[in-house]
Amino acid sequence: MPIASFFRLNSPIDRGVEQCSRTPGAILLDVRSPEEYRAGHIPASQNLPLPVIDYASISLPDKHTPIFVYCHSGVRSARAVESLLEQGYTAVKNIGGIAVYSGALEAG
C-alpha cells in the first residue's frame, strides 16, 4: 500500500467519523458553507456553517450531546469547536478536514 493511502485511511476524520457512528446520540457537524455541503458531504452529517455557529443552540439545543465537527481542512472546525465550547457545549471534538476523508460522500 502506498504511504499516502496509509495516511489517508488512518486520518483523524476517518477515525472521528467511525467514533461518531459508535457514540449513541452523537451529531456529525459540517461547518463548511451550504454550497460546499451540497457539493459533497459525509452521509448523516448536519450542516451548520461557521459564520452562524453562534446560533448553534437553535439546532443543537442539548449542550451535552456529543458533537464531532469537520470542515474542509480542519481550520474552520477548530474555530467552531472553540466557539461551541465557549457557548457551553461539553462534548465537542474537532475531527479535521473532509479533504482527506476516505469514505463515501453524498451530494445535495
Side-chain angles (χ1 to χ4, degrees):
M1 170 186 301
I3 189 117
S5 296
F6 173 78
F7 285 112
R8 182 175 290 265
L9 292 173
N10 291 296
S11 69
I13 192 165
D14 287 326
R15 292 188 306 271
V17 169
E18 175 64 26
Q19 184 181 5
C20 182
S21 72
R22 290 184 280 113
T23 304
I27 293 173
L28 184 58
L29 190 66
D30 184 326
V31 296
R32 298 176 303 150
S33 71
E35 296 79 20
E36 289 172 295
Y37 183 80
R38 282 192 298 273
H41 58 272
I42 299 171
S45 64
Q46 294 180 25
N47 185 226
L48 183 63
L50 182 61
V52 296
I53 202 74
D54 290 344
Y55 304 101
S57 63
I58 295 169
S59 58
L60 305 169
D62 183 352
K63 294 193 175 188
H64 301 294
T65 298
I67 303 171
F68 294 79
V69 186
Y70 74 92
C71 64
H72 178 75
S73 67
V75 174
R76 285 177 283 180
S77 55
R79 290 183 191 146
V81 166
E82 183 178 307
S83 177
L84 291 167
L85 291 170
E86 287 173 359
Q87 293 176 58
Y89 288 87
T90 60
V92 186
K93 181 176 183 177
N94 179 9
I95 61 171
I98 197 171
V100 294
Y101 179 61
S102 66
L105 299 177
E106 63 183 27

